[in-house]
Amino acid sequence: MTAFPEGFWWGVATSAYQIEGSPLADGAGPSIWHRFSHTPGHIAQGDTGDLACDHYHRLTEDIDLLVELGVKAYRLSIAWGRILPEGIGATNPRGLGFYQRLIEGLLKRGIKPVVTLYHWDLPEALQDRGGWVNPDSPLWFAEYAEIMFRALADRVAAWVTINEPWVIAVLGHLEGRHAPGQRDAWAAPRVGHHLLLAHAAAVDLYRTLGQQSIGIALNLEPQHAASADPADLQAAQRRDAFINRWFLDALFFGRYPAELAQIFGAAWPEFSADSLVQIRCPGDFIGVNYYTRARVAADPGSRPLGAVCLKPPRHQCTEMGWEIYPEGLSETLGWLKDRYGNPCILITENGAAFADPPPQAGVVADPQRIHYLKKHLSAAAQALSQGVDLRGYFVWTLLDNFEWTEGYSKRFGLYWVDRANLQRYPKASARFYRAIIATNGAAALAD
Ligand code: FCB
């Protein structure tokens, strides 16, 4: 028995900067992550994406891994700067050619391409014009999106416009932990708004050019109060507005949660009524990136939220320090259904980093990841049985790769990558996931 519907999209996800390497090859323009990772002090061990998994040169080998897994769909992202080295203007056919080969290779093997247009690697040339703070940024994005739709729309099964706008606005522009490394409360809400306008512009364009589906991917995590104390309950509500409702309320209701004006204070802009109408654009599906939950306590000294997250005990966490909390996935999916009118959902990312041992006899033993996936798939099945319109599930990620500020120190892959020679080895979880796909989920639900 399986709770997963016929035709469910079983997949894995990756992103360009994290796996491709050769960021400047064949005429590509550098991205903000290229500059950021090359600035000392930003990335653990001084790692960069220069080599990554060398996917740029190992396309065929990596497609073979997807075939070995038996995935129905593969979520990849396009490096904007390979297509438009300056971000706008002249296109670079050699960069486009790489993705055309990749997508042809997938289709030939019966794998549906799911393509993310923006997974954080803005062309540096556009950052020099202010990046996402610039009110023209949605137009830049629309120009790029149109090129991609014209080149590939008939071959791509689903498009994701933007990956995790919250991470871009907050980690990139408020906390400065991600590229472009800004710490500016004024910038963050404007960046968030421009990302939503960019998404809406791409969706509008797609309606005239494409026939499949288009959505956005959001990082969502339940915010649980650390105690029944009203101050903690309010802190959890504020954090819920900040992380979960910021983009969802905008996409579904054309408004921002009232808490945001309170959190950002004078830095929160007066958005025009027109632009609020425009950003009311949920698209065809919501992509959910789910990893963990937060337990939140009030802390008036912590600016700007007045809240802190409790640190869970080490043994309940992945290597990222994120609590393993599969119940939060069914909770999140059920909440999306109830609050936003049962939207169509793809789980566009779910997975975990563990300290995997090196391969023995060609295989890596990773029982913790198997356990993690099993529990989260059971949670997904539970959501399905409660009427959530879930259409697919993508494991983050195919290969151990460049995990942003953590560099190569965190391994999320179903395949282990030897950093010395980039050879790929299956982890036991790859075999487990293969069995799940082959049984349309039944193997995840068996004891
Ligand atoms: C998500 C990102 C993805 C990956 C995972 C671990 O926030 O979208 O690129 O780094 O986290």
Side-chain angles (χ1 to χ4, degrees):
M1 274 299 287
T2 171
F4 296 92
E6 244 348 88
F8 194 73
W9 289 12
W10 296 103
V12 289
T14 62
S15 89
Y17 190 75
Q18 293 179 276
I19 64 166
E20 287 176 358
S22 307
L24 308 180
D26 296 331
S31 77
I32 55 174
W33 268 94
H34 185 65
R35 180 193 277 185
F36 191 75
S37 66
H38 278 269
T39 307
H42 283 157
I43 313 291
Q45 302 95 230
D47 288 342
T48 73
D50 287 4
L51 184 56
C53 305
D54 197 28
H55 173 69
Y56 196 73
H57 296 115
R58 296 173 191 236
L59 206 60
T60 315
E61 181 188 340
D62 289 342
I63 295 176
D64 287 345
L65 299 182
L66 297 169
V67 172
E68 189 172 284
L69 283 171
V71 293
K72 311 287 181 205
Y74 173 52
R75 176 178 175 227
L76 62 115
S77 88
I78 291 181
W80 185 339
R82 291 201 196 279
I83 310 299
L84 291 146
E86 296 290 319
I88 47 178
T91 55
N92 172 30
R94 286 185 296 164
L96 187 57
F98 170 73
Y99 295 106
Q100 280 166 328
R101 286 197 301 282
L102 171 53
I103 283 165
E104 288 309 323
L106 295 171
L107 291 175
K108 237 188 250 159
R109 289 154 178 95
I111 299 169
K112 293 183 203 322
V114 174
V115 175
T116 306
L117 285 168
Y118 187 71
H119 204 121
W120 306 352
D121 44 1
L122 190 74
E124 185 56 49
L126 294 180
Q127 191 59 44
D128 292 343
R129 300 178 184 222
W132 289 109
V133 179
N134 189 323
D136 286 342
S137 53
L139 298 175
W140 305 334
F141 183 73
E143 181 178 330
Y144 158 54
E146 180 164 1
I147 293 168
M148 297 319 302
F149 295 152
R150 288 196 186 280
L152 301 172
D154 57 334
R155 278 166 284 166
V156 168
W159 295 86
V160 174
T161 53
I162 311 265
N163 183 67
E164 300 186 349
W166 182 86
V167 169
I168 301 164
V170 174
L171 301 194
H173 295 83
L174 182 66
E175 299 180 358
R177 291 193 278 142
H178 277 195
Q182 292 180 4
R183 285 204 187 111
D184 182 353
W186 187 89
R190 288 161 176 84
V191 165
H193 198 63
H194 295 154
L195 288 165
L196 285 165
L197 286 167
H199 159 78
V203 172
D204 285 351
L205 257 172
Y206 188 68
R207 296 284 178 246
T208 63
L209 296 171
Q211 306 88 42
Q212 306 296 324
S213 65
I214 186 162
I216 189 167
L218 305 175
N219 52 299
L220 301 176
E221 55 177 58
Q223 303 297 313
H224 293 163
S227 80
D229 186 323
D232 288 348
L233 290 166
Q234 283 165 15
Q237 277 302 305
R238 280 198 300 281
R239 209 161 182 276
D240 179 58
F242 186 58
I243 295 196
N244 298 320
R245 284 180 277 126
W246 179 343
F247 292 95
L248 282 166
D249 279 12
L251 290 160
F252 282 93
F253 307 143
R255 59 174 155 75
Y256 291 112
E259 292 95 329
L260 293 182
Q262 198 194 328
I263 292 166
F264 282 95
W268 186 256
E270 275 279 332
F271 295 110
S272 74
D274 264 9
S275 67
L276 289 169
V277 171
Q278 273 172 275
I279 62 174
R280 184 174 187 171
C281 177
D284 301 314
F285 63 87
I286 293 296
V288 174
N289 294 354
Y290 178 81
Y291 290 94
T292 190
R293 69 150 168 184
R295 294 186 61 228
V296 187
D299 178 23
S302 296
R303 297 274 115 221
L305 275 172
V308 285
C309 295
L310 305 188
K311 226 176 140 145
R314 188 71 201 87
H315 70 274
Q316 289 169 12
C317 293
T318 68
E319 276 293 293
M320 297 294 279
W322 298 346
E323 185 188 0
I324 301 169
Y325 191 73
E327 303 88 323
L329 178 57
S330 27
E331 180 182 333
T332 298
L333 297 175
W335 172 78
L336 272 174
K337 168 174 179 271
D338 295 344
R339 183 174 171 87
Y340 298 104
N342 203 12
C344 172
I345 296 172
L346 290 176
I347 296 172
T348 34
E349 288 180 27
N350 175 238
F354 291 109
D356 303 321
Q360 280 197 335
V363 184
V364 172
D366 64 338
Q368 291 168 296
R369 185 170 293 99
I370 290 178
H371 184 73
Y372 181 100
L373 294 176
K374 197 169 157 67
K375 290 287 178 197
H376 284 79
L377 284 168
S378 302
Q382 192 190 331
L384 273 163
S385 71
Q386 288 164 0
V388 169
D389 188 7
L390 178 64
R391 307 285 180 93
Y393 173 91
F394 293 75
V395 173
W396 183 269
T397 181
L398 178 65
L399 304 165
D400 293 340
N401 61 37
F402 178 81
E403 177 46 38
W404 310 112
T405 53
E406 304 288 340
Y408 299 100
S409 68
K410 299 290 183 284
R411 293 180 177 272
F412 272 93
L414 293 176
Y415 285 83
W416 199 86
V417 176
D418 186 337
R419 290 308 309 163
N421 57 16
L422 301 183
Q423 207 174 314
R424 286 91 160 114
Y425 297 89
K427 299 183 190 177
S429 58
R431 303 211 164 141
F432 173 71
Y433 194 46
R434 181 191 161 88
I436 287 173
I437 298 170
T439 58
N440 198 31
L445 307 178
D447 287 330

